[in-house]
Amino acid sequence: MALRWGRGWGSASAPVLFSLLARGRRCHPTITTVGSSKEEEEDARAILGPDLPDIWSPLPTSLPRPIPNPMRPLPPAPAPPTIIDGKSIAHQIRSHISTHVINFKTSYGKVPVLAVILVGHRRDSQTYVRYKIKACNDVGITSLLAQLPHSCSEDDVLHSVTSFNQDPSVHGILVQLPLPQHMDEERILAAVSLHKDVDGFHPLNVGNLALRGRRPLFIPCAAKACLQLLLRHQIDLVGKHAVVIGRSKVVGLPTSLLLQRHHATVSIVHAFTHRPEEITREADIVISAAGVANLVRGSWLKRGVVVIDVGTNPIEDPDSEHGYRLTGDVHFDEAVKVASAITPVPGGVGPVTIAMLLSNTLDAAKEACRSSV
Amino acid sequence: MALRWGRGWGSASAPVLFSLLARGRRCHPTITTVGSSKEEEEDARAILGPDLPDIWSPLPTSLPRPIPNPMRPLPPAPAPPTIIDGKSIAHQIRSHISTHVINFKTSYGKVPVLAVILVGHRRDSQTYVRYKIKACNDVGITSLLAQLPHSCSEDDVLHSVTSFNQDPSVHGILVQLPLPQHMDEERILAAVSLHKDVDGFHPLNVGNLALRGRRPLFIPCAAKACLQLLLRHQIDLVGKHAVVIGRSKVVGLPTSLLLQRHHATVSIVHAFTHRPEEITREADIVISAAGVANLVRGSWLKRGVVVIDVGTNPIEDPDSEHGYRLTGDVHFDEAVKVASAITPVPGGVGPVTIAMLLSNTLDAAKEACRSSV
């Protein structure tokens, strides 16, 4: 190793890091969380990662330099790999949220409310919205659905957003993406009130996610879901090489920023990357959100890698009920032979992403009620 | 190559990309630039990079997979390497700004004003502030300096920030970092008016830099300087592997975000990265901002790499006038034997960073005057 890390933090375990954090630099949230509980503070800190200073301590230049060894043998294959069970994790999180919704109702005499805006008749969007609304019902969150025809104008959508912004009984607003081509998506998303932005796409939330020491009000659900899966499986992130495939504001960008908050070394691969398989093969952790079925082959992966597959790509399947089935970005049968842990599709990131939407909505409701006290 | 890129954009030259952009997806700035000139629009677009959609087109799975060849021979050494002359580029930019300051005066009957807040007596901070003020004078920008003692309170600094925020004759505000340990830097920076944030550290500016399709009001000066050097030397960025060493909000973070806007494949290396030399050796472009003298050795670099060294580290030198001299993060004598282009320290990124501060201040002044029309 060419560098020794100051104070030996590179190998510290998570509890040690948190205790160091307590003694170390302060974390300055931008939002005053009036009366937020200790548990909530700890949750927020866990998902954003510990605040660690960068202390480089290079070896004296007189020491011999490391010699690259391209023929270094691969470590033995871990067997069997862990199949990360998103359904089960989502179930645990949703149970926890159900309890908190009951407590919320007891404290404030009302229930959290999520407003969903769905434009047009895309089958996939309709399915996702149905899942989200059902999930709300299951945990006791009220949902409102504004359904607009594909032919409506941008101003019609903005009008819906504004109505929900102004309605104090609504705590979270979700605009189902993608919007029809004739609409300015950025303009509509920017209109969502910062305090109801449960998707976390507002540029101020993104900026506060990017800047260490700051705390966004909301983190995009899929990014938060990826971190939940990694943290709950105690995957060490500090200093690990994480390759994020895809760079959308929905998944790739916020996940790359969140992994950096956890002190991973992050590489962002996208459709313009030359030889994406080469850089992906260097990764300790691969998070794929390219939206291309079976893009990531077994040959793209290092032995022992942890694979989080955010892709949910419909592919034709005459044997399935609807004539298609969902598959991930990662060729599962090949990857499972190489990885030490991997999420399946479906049943991996998807259910946890929906659980994170519920969690963000509950947070929005708590924040709104505390601010109005 | 394992992937063919949709529409063959991977190898398109910069003018082709811009022309494709004009026909492609719209770029939606968040800030209405009332009456901004075509030249300004083009400048902003150039520095933020073209807005290209991600179109993955994987090869059919039946084709043979690429076989990694760890023994691939190195390309021949480029000789001699280009020494990127930051002084000369800064001189050109400053001449251009001088002309625009004269035009601004003619149009609005006033001059751009930069307010600088300096707390304490750090020798390096004092030197930087002196350079910045001299640079303002040279191009006709008025500067104001608020100098506060090290012992002052956070509220004293906030009071200075608020005064400058409220003063309509001030267009840009710069808080010289680092602030004394007893102050909450994030709180003070967040107090700077978004429209006067010429350092580009406001979380909304950072969020708008991170999100493709959006335009920040200001981009941090050092990040903008790195891109100026690369663009003016016509270094192709699309799909290239850029390794950014360091992740501060001043340099590393905004530079990594800006390189992503230019469709580079970006890896962010920091003090917790395991074996930083290995990932750095894969880079086509290395931008180092770790703040560690001679951290990056020749053995860290691939033959033909482009090296941008943002480090300005004082090291003892009894032969120099002040007893020390500035050196970069990169071991220049070793790197120059490997790189195809490299910035020296001093005389590389530094002068262009100061030119970018002048440019941001001029932009702030124009925007303020246009908004008040």
Side-chain angles (χ1 to χ4, degrees):
Chain A
M1 200 169 103
L3 298 177
R4 282 173 295 112
W5 307 122
R7 306 186 200 170
W9 287 4
S11 61
S13 64
V16 175
L17 289 173
F18 284 114
S19 105
L20 283 167
L21 167 66
R23 284 178 282 143
R25 293 206 301 189
R26 285 166 300 165
C27 174
H28 305 296
T30 48
I31 309 298
T32 314
T33 48
V34 185
S36 58
S37 71
K38 196 170 163 228
E39 185 199 15
E40 283 165 28
E41 286 293 323
E42 275 169 13
D43 282 356
R45 186 178 292 177
I47 207 79
L48 279 173
D51 193 11
L52 305 177
D54 278 310
I55 301 169
W56 294 87
S57 51
L59 287 181
T61 52
S62 57
L63 283 187
R65 286 178 231 145
I67 297 160
N69 176 6
M71 304 304 283
R72 193 176 51 213
L74 288 169
T82 304
I83 308 297
I84 297 176
D85 185 352
K87 269 192 193 166
S88 152
I89 290 173
H91 182 76
Q92 291 166 33
I93 295 170
R94 284 162 65 159
S95 297
H96 187 76
I97 292 172
S98 292
T99 312
H100 278 264
V101 168
I102 293 166
N103 294 345
F104 178 84
K105 205 171 165 180
T106 311
S107 301
Y108 299 105
K110 47 183 143 182
V111 291
V113 175
L114 174 69
V116 179
I117 297 171
L118 173 62
V119 185
H121 306 283
R122 281 180 66 116
R123 198 172 57 174
D124 55 348
S125 291
Q126 286 177 323
T127 306
Y128 291 137
V129 166
R130 204 167 53 240
Y131 284 156
K132 290 170 185 175
I133 288 177
K134 185 180 176 308
C136 283
N137 290 343
D138 290 351
V139 298
I141 291 176
T142 296
S143 58
L144 303 174
L145 175 61
Q147 238 176 318
L148 288 88
H150 182 276
S151 58
C152 76
S153 71
E154 198 173 299
D155 281 345
D156 293 332
V157 184
L158 282 171
H159 179 74
S160 285
V161 171
T162 310
S163 303
F164 288 137
N165 279 344
Q166 289 168 350
D167 183 345
S169 75
V170 169
H171 303 113
I173 301 173
L174 181 155
V175 180
Q176 182 64 38
L177 300 182
L179 288 167
Q181 285 279 327
H182 65 277
M183 289 182 189
D184 183 343
E185 190 174 289
E186 286 298 328
R187 184 164 166 242
I188 290 168
L189 292 178
V192 173
S193 158
L194 182 66
H195 294 266
K196 300 187 180 187
D197 173 41
V198 287
D199 259 338
F201 298 153
H202 192 292
L204 193 57
N205 277 324
V206 176
N208 281 327
L209 177 59
L211 288 160
R212 283 187 291 157
R214 301 189 80 89
R215 190 192 294 181
L217 274 172
F218 304 103
I219 299 168
C221 303
K224 221 170 150 181
C226 292
L227 263 288
Q228 281 285 358
L229 293 169
L230 293 167
L231 295 177
R232 282 170 188 256
H233 277 267
Q234 296 175 306
I235 311 285
D236 186 23
L237 297 172
V238 177
K240 292 297 169 68
H241 189 190
V243 168
V244 177
I245 305 176
R247 52 174 180 165
S248 71
K249 68 167 167 295
V250 182
V251 193
L253 171 67
T255 305
S256 68
L257 295 174
L258 195 47
L259 285 165
Q260 287 180 68
R261 295 285 293 248
H262 286 265
H263 313 287
T265 301
V266 179
S267 297
I268 302 108
V269 162
H270 49 78
F272 293 91
T273 298
H274 300 167
R275 297 183 294 280
E277 67 283 5
E278 288 189 7
I279 192 164
T280 308
R281 204 152 37 223
E282 299 296 320
D284 304 306
I285 298 155
V286 171
I287 300 197
S288 188
V292 180
N294 298 318
L295 175 75
V296 180
R297 307 301 302 257
S299 62
W300 286 39
L301 301 170
K302 182 167 76 174
R303 204 169 286 282
V305 66
V306 174
V307 178
I308 307 290
D309 189 353
V310 195
T312 46
N313 311 294
I315 55 169
E316 277 185 34
D317 181 3
D319 297 338
S320 93
E321 190 188 347
H322 301 289
Y324 74 97
R325 63 183 169 86
L326 292 180
T327 191
D329 286 355
V330 179
H331 194 299
F332 188 84
D333 292 343
E334 290 180 5
V336 83
K337 294 177 189 154
V338 190
S340 63
I342 185 167
T343 58
V345 176
V349 180
V352 185
T353 300
I354 291 185
M356 292 301 103
L357 173 65
L358 306 175
S359 160
N360 279 356
T361 304
L362 176 63
D363 288 347
K366 284 182 183 168
E367 197 55 42
C369 291
R370 283 174 190 143
S371 311
S372 66
V373 168
Chain B
M1 198 168 105
L3 299 176
R4 282 174 295 112
W5 307 121
R7 306 186 201 170
W9 288 4
S11 60
S13 65
V16 176
L17 289 173
F18 283 114
S19 110
L20 283 167
L21 166 66
R23 284 178 283 145
R25 294 202 305 185
R26 286 168 299 167
C27 174
H28 305 297
T30 49
I31 307 299
T32 315
T33 46
V34 186
S36 58
S37 70
K38 198 170 162 229
E39 184 200 18
E40 284 166 29
E41 285 294 321
E42 275 168 14
D43 281 356
R45 185 178 291 175
I47 207 79
L48 279 173
D51 194 10
L52 304 177
D54 277 309
I55 301 169
W56 293 87
S57 52
L59 286 181
T61 52
S62 58
L63 284 185
R65 286 180 231 142
I67 297 159
N69 176 6
M71 302 305 282
R72 193 176 52 215
L74 288 170
T82 304
I83 307 299
I84 297 176
D85 184 353
K87 268 193 193 165
S88 151
I89 290 174
H91 182 75
Q92 290 166 33
I93 296 171
R94 284 163 66 160
S95 295
H96 186 77
I97 292 172
S98 292
T99 311
H100 279 264
V101 168
I102 293 167
N103 294 346
F104 177 84
K105 205 171 167 182
T106 310
S107 301
Y108 300 104
K110 48 183 141 181
V111 293
V113 175
L114 174 70
V116 178
I117 298 171
L118 173 63
V119 186
H121 306 284
R122 282 179 65 114
R123 197 174 55 173
D124 55 350
S125 291
Q126 286 177 324
T127 305
Y128 293 137
V129 166
R130 204 167 51 240
Y131 284 157
K132 290 170 186 176
I133 287 176
K134 184 182 178 306
C136 282
N137 290 343
D138 289 349
V139 297
I141 292 176
T142 297
S143 59
L144 305 174
L145 174 61
Q147 236 174 321
L148 288 87
H150 183 275
S151 59
C152 75
S153 72
E154 198 173 300
D155 281 344
D156 293 332
V157 183
L158 281 171
H159 178 74
S160 285
V161 171
T162 311
S163 305
F164 288 137
N165 279 342
Q166 289 168 351
D167 183 346
S169 74
V170 169
H171 305 111
I173 301 172
L174 181 155
V175 181
Q176 182 64 39
L177 301 180
L179 289 166
Q181 286 280 328
H182 66 277
M183 289 183 190
D184 183 343
E185 188 175 290
E186 287 298 327
R187 185 164 165 243
I188 290 167
L189 292 179
V192 173
S193 159
L194 183 65
H195 293 265
K196 300 186 180 187
D197 174 40
V198 288
D199 258 338
F201 298 153
H202 192 290
L204 193 57
N205 277 325
V206 176
N208 281 327
L209 177 60
L211 288 160
R212 283 187 292 156
R214 301 189 79 90
R215 190 192 294 179
L217 275 171
F218 304 103
I219 299 170
C221 303
K224 222 170 151 182
C226 291
L227 262 288
Q228 281 285 358
L229 293 170
L230 293 168
L231 295 177
R232 282 170 187 257
H233 276 268
Q234 296 175 307
I235 311 286
D236 185 24
L237 297 172
V238 177
K240 293 297 170 66
H241 190 189
V243 169
V244 177
I245 305 176
R247 51 174 182 165
S248 71
K249 68 169 170 293
V250 182
V251 193
L253 172 67
T255 305
S256 69
L257 296 174
L258 194 48
L259 285 165
Q260 288 181 68
R261 295 286 293 249
H262 285 266
H263 313 286
T265 301
V266 179
S267 297
I268 302 107
V269 161
H270 47 78
F272 292 91
T273 298
H274 301 167
R275 296 182 296 279
E277 67 285 5
E278 288 188 8
I279 193 163
T280 308
R281 204 151 37 222
E282 299 295 322
D284 303 306
I285 297 154
V286 171
I287 299 196
S288 188
V292 180
N294 298 319
L295 175 75
V296 179
R297 309 298 302 255
S299 63
W300 286 39
L301 301 170
K302 182 167 76 174
R303 203 168 287 281
V305 66
V306 173
V307 178
I308 306 290
D309 189 353
V310 195
T312 45
N313 312 294
I315 56 169
E316 277 184 35
D317 180 2
D319 295 338
S320 93
E321 189 188 347
H322 301 288
Y324 74 98
R325 63 185 169 87
L326 292 180
T327 189
D329 285 355
V330 179
H331 194 298
F332 188 84
D333 292 343
E334 290 179 5
V336 82
K337 292 177 188 152
V338 190
S340 63
I342 185 167
T343 59
V345 176
V349 180
V352 185
T353 300
I354 291 185
M356 292 301 104
L357 173 65
L358 305 176
S359 161
N360 280 356
T361 304
L362 176 62
D363 288 347
K366 284 182 183 171
E367 198 55 42
C369 291
R370 284 173 189 146
S371 310
S372 65
V373 169

